């Protein structure tokens, strides 16, 4: 199912990470993020076997539906199709975006990572619904990623007609630097899931991001 106004759902895009679970479950942390105002949820899972990945994906999708928030799977098109996720997000090193669109059909959400105007335009031509552009700031989750300048971020936003979100090292303290670039929201991992108080951190991010994109 596609959501009527994707722009609104992309304001605060939460990307899961098991690194900070401690004694909690991922479902526990996701609920806190959604209670705090996360507007989109991506399951990013690199190490689980298919059976457990599928089980986890179904659980998180159920929670996302309670909150009426889109839920997509990172990279794994097979799992996304098997459990009927709302969509898939793929990077430049994953399956080609036109092939992903062919497999998931016209009604699922397709997000594509892009780092320059050429990649952005190709993704849009291949049927992407939104772009994730980064890395904007240095981040431990993408050690080898080449940073995207604010100028490039602005150029990408101007070159496509689909919504663009920024990702990579974004925190409550640096997100204002992206004001005026044309992005509709931000995607974060540690700024939410690495926070001591996930719900409070998410609420503050939501507030600051809303101010930034409207400025």
């Amino acid at each position: 199912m596609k959501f009527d106004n994707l722009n609104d759902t992309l304001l605060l895009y939460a990307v899961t990470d098991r690194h900070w679970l401690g004694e909690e479950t991922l479902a526990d942390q996701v609920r806190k993020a959604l209670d705090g105002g996360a507007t989109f949820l991506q399951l990013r899972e690199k190490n689980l076997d298919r059976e457990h990945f599928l089980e986890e994906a179904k659980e998180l999708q159920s929670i996302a539906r309670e909150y009426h928030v889109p839920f997509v799977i990172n990279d794994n098109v097979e799992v996304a199709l098997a459990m009927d996720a709302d969509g898939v997000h793929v990077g430049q090193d994953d399956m080609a975006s036109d092939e992903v669109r062919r497999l998931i059909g016209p009604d699922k959400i397709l997000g594509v990572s892009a780092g320059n105007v050429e990649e952005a335009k190709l993704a849009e031509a291949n049927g992407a619904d939104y772009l994730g552009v980064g890395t904007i700031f240095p981040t431990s989750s993408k050690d080898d990623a080449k940073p995207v300048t604010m100028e490039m971020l602005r150029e990408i936003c101007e070159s496509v007609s689909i919504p663009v979100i920024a990702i990579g090292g974004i925190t409550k303290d640096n997100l204002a630097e992206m004001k005026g670039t044309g992005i509709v929201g931000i995607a974060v991992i540690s700024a939410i899931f690495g926070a001591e108080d996930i719900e409070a951190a998410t609420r503050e991010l939501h507030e600051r991001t809303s101010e930034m994109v409207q400025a």
Side-chain angles (χ1 to χ4, degrees):
M1 179 181 77
K2 281 192 180 178
F3 288 71
D4 291 338
N5 192 342
L6 199 60
N7 281 35
D8 292 343
T9 71
L10 289 167
L11 180 72
L12 183 52
Y13 186 120
V15 182
T16 67
D17 193 319
R18 305 179 68 82
H19 182 73
W20 297 280
L21 285 184
E23 295 181 0
E24 292 186 307
T25 66
L26 195 56
D28 291 335
Q29 295 195 339
V30 163
R31 279 192 182 277
K32 291 179 180 179
L34 293 173
D35 282 336
T39 58
F40 202 112
L41 181 64
Q42 179 193 125
L43 174 58
R44 183 174 183 263
E45 189 58 76
K46 300 294 185 181
N47 301 313
L48 282 186
D49 59 70
R50 185 183 184 281
E51 180 183 354
H52 289 97
F53 192 167
L54 196 55
E55 183 180 322
E56 181 177 79
K58 288 178 179 177
E59 180 180 21
L60 296 190
Q61 165 121 311
S62 175
I63 296 170
R65 285 181 172 165
E66 285 180 41
Y67 289 81
H68 307 289
V69 165
F71 174 74
V72 301
I73 303 291
N74 183 62
D75 296 354
N76 198 316
V77 178
E78 181 193 357
V79 165
L81 288 171
M83 49 78 60
D84 195 28
D86 294 318
V88 185
H89 186 96
V90 292
Q92 290 296 314
D93 297 327
D94 302 320
M95 186 184 296
S97 51
D98 56 347
E99 177 66 8
V100 177
R101 174 55 76 197
R102 186 186 69 79
L103 289 170
I104 67 175
D107 297 325
K108 297 291 187 182
I109 298 169
L110 174 57
V112 179
S113 298
N116 56 53
V117 169
E118 183 182 7
E119 291 174 355
K121 286 183 172 180
L122 179 60
E124 181 177 31
N126 285 345
D129 292 300
Y130 72 89
L131 300 175
V133 174
T135 298
I136 305 300
F137 304 104
T139 172
S140 59
S141 65
K142 291 280 186 180
D143 293 333
D144 58 347
K146 182 181 177 182
V148 173
T149 64
M150 296 303 161
E151 182 181 359
M152 175 59 71
L153 181 59
R154 189 176 293 107
E155 284 182 25
I156 290 172
C157 290
E158 291 172 351
S159 73
V160 295
S161 59
I162 55 176
V164 175
I165 58 173
I167 188 169
I170 298 169
T171 69
K172 64 178 182 178
D173 299 317
N174 62 24
L175 65 85
E177 295 178 37
M178 296 177 288
K179 183 173 64 176
T181 57
I183 60 172
V184 301
I186 62 170
V188 294
I189 303 174
S190 61
I192 287 179
F193 295 106
E196 188 172 336
D197 186 332
I198 290 174
E199 184 175 343
T202 308
R203 188 172 291 111
E204 185 173 6
L205 280 169
H206 187 284
E207 184 178 332
R208 293 193 183 200
T209 306
S210 295
E211 292 172 356
M212 181 266 293
V213 300
Q214 292 168 16

